[in-house]
C-alpha cells in the first residue's frame, strides 16, 4: 500500500469537501458548531467570569508529565488528523466514501455539542505552562482560554477519529491494519 494518510493534503481535502454539496453543508455546520460550542462559549465565560463555576482539575500526576515544547505540532494535529483521514477516504474510495465521510464530519460536531452540555454547567481548568517562544504557543494561548479541560475534546476527537476511521475502513472491506498507518 503506497497510499498514506500522512501524505493527504488538508487543502485538497477542503477542496473535495467544498466541491461536494452534501459534504460542504455538513462541514459548514460542523465549523459553526465548533465555533459556538467551543470558542464562543469559552470566551464568553472568560470575559464574563462567575456565571459558570470553574473547577481546577489538576492532579499530582500532572507534574510527572514533562512539558516539551517540541511536541506542539503533535498536540495541535488533532484536527488536521481527522481532516486528512476524511481526505484519504475520499481519495481512496471516491463517491463511495461520501456517506461515511458525511457521517464522520457530523460526528465531530456532535462531540463538541455533547461536551458543551457539561461545560455549560461547570467549566474546568488546569495549570497550563506559560510559554511564548514559539508562534504555535501564541496561537494556543490566544485561541483557547483553557476553561474546557474535562471532558477533553482533544482526547475525544483523537479517539473518535481512530475508531470512526477504522470502522469506515472495515465497512469498505479494507484491512483494518490501514487504521494503524501513519
Amino acid at each position: 500500500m503506497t497510499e498514506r494518510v500522512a501524505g493527504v493534503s488538508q487543502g485538497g481535502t477542503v477542496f473535495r469537501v467544498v466541491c461536494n454539496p452534501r459534504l460542504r453543508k455538513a462541514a459548514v455546520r460542523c465549523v459553526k458548531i465548533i465555533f459556538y460550542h467551543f470558542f464562543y462559549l469559552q470566551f464568553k465565560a472568560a470575559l464574563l467570569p462567575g456565571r459558570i463555576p470553574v473547577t481546577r482539575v489538576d492532579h499530582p500526576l500532572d507534574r510527572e508529565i514533562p512539558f516539551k515544547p517540541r511536541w506542539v505540532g503533535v498536540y495541535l494535529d488533532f484536527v488536521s488528523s481527522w481532516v486528512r483521514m476524511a481526505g484519504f477516504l475520499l481519495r481512496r474510495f471516491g463517491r463511495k466514501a461520501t456517506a461515511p465521510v458525511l457521517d464522520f464530519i457530523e460526528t465531530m460536531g456532535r462531540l463538541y455539542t455533547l461536551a458543551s452540555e457539561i461545560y455549560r454547567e461547570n467549566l474546568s481548568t488546569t495549570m497550563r505552562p506559560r510559554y511564548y517562544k514559539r508562534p504555535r504557543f501564541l496561537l494556543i494561548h490566544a485561541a483557547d482560554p483553557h476553561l474546557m479541560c474535562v471532558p477533553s475534546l482533544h482526547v475525544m476527537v483523537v479517539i473518535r477519529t481512530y475508531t470512526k476511521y477504522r470502522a469506515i475502513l472495515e465497512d469498505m472491506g479494507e484491512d483494518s491494519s490501514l487504521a494503524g498507518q501513519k
Side-chain angles (χ1 to χ4, degrees):
M1 158 92 31
T2 58
E3 292 181 280
R4 301 187 63 77
V5 171
V8 173
S9 160
Q10 291 179 72
T13 299
V14 170
F15 181 77
R16 280 191 169 103
V17 167
V18 167
C19 289
N20 182 311
R22 289 176 61 206
L23 295 178
R24 179 178 58 240
K25 183 177 176 182
V28 167
R29 188 171 44 248
C30 182
V31 168
K32 286 180 179 178
I33 287 168
I34 290 168
F35 271 91
Y36 180 78
H37 289 279
F38 184 77
F39 293 104
Y40 171 74
L41 292 178
Q42 192 168 196
F43 275 98
K44 181 179 171 185
L47 296 172
L48 302 169
R51 295 182 179 203
I52 301 173
V54 179
T55 302
R56 292 201 62 86
V57 293
D58 293 291
H59 188 277
L61 284 175
D62 293 336
R63 290 189 293 273
E64 302 299 318
I65 301 169
F67 173 66
K68 296 187 178 183
R70 69 178 181 264
W71 289 96
V72 68
V74 173
Y75 174 79
L76 289 175
D77 194 55
F78 75 106
V79 171
S80 300
S81 67
W82 76 262
V83 171
R84 283 192 308 274
M85 288 186 193
F88 175 86
L89 294 167
L90 291 168
R91 188 170 73 189
R92 182 162 175 89
F93 300 107
R95 289 186 180 155
K96 256 177 59 174
T98 299
V101 169
L102 176 70
D103 185 55
F104 195 11
I105 293 168
E106 290 171 344
T107 293
M108 290 304 161
R110 286 192 300 270
L111 285 178
Y112 282 80
T113 302
L114 182 63
S116 77
E117 290 179 20
I118 295 168
Y119 303 146
R120 290 171 194 275
E121 299 297 321
N122 195 318
L123 296 164
S124 54
T125 192
T126 61
M127 177 63 174
R128 177 164 70 178
R130 292 195 185 278
Y131 185 84
Y132 301 100
K133 293 180 181 176
R134 294 185 184 189
R136 288 180 166 183
F137 284 98
L138 294 172
L139 173 67
I140 292 168
H141 288 288
D144 183 0
H146 198 60
L147 293 172
M148 297 179 166
C149 296
V150 174
S152 170
L153 276 162
H154 201 110
V155 172
M156 290 168 52
V157 166
V158 170
I159 291 169
R160 188 57 181 152
T161 297
Y162 176 78
T163 58
K164 190 70 174 167
Y165 176 67
R166 183 178 179 145
I168 292 169
L169 287 174
E170 288 173 358
D171 288 347
M172 296 286 203
E174 290 289 332
D175 182 344
S176 64
S177 67
L178 271 178
Q181 70 157 321
K182 298 215 184 239

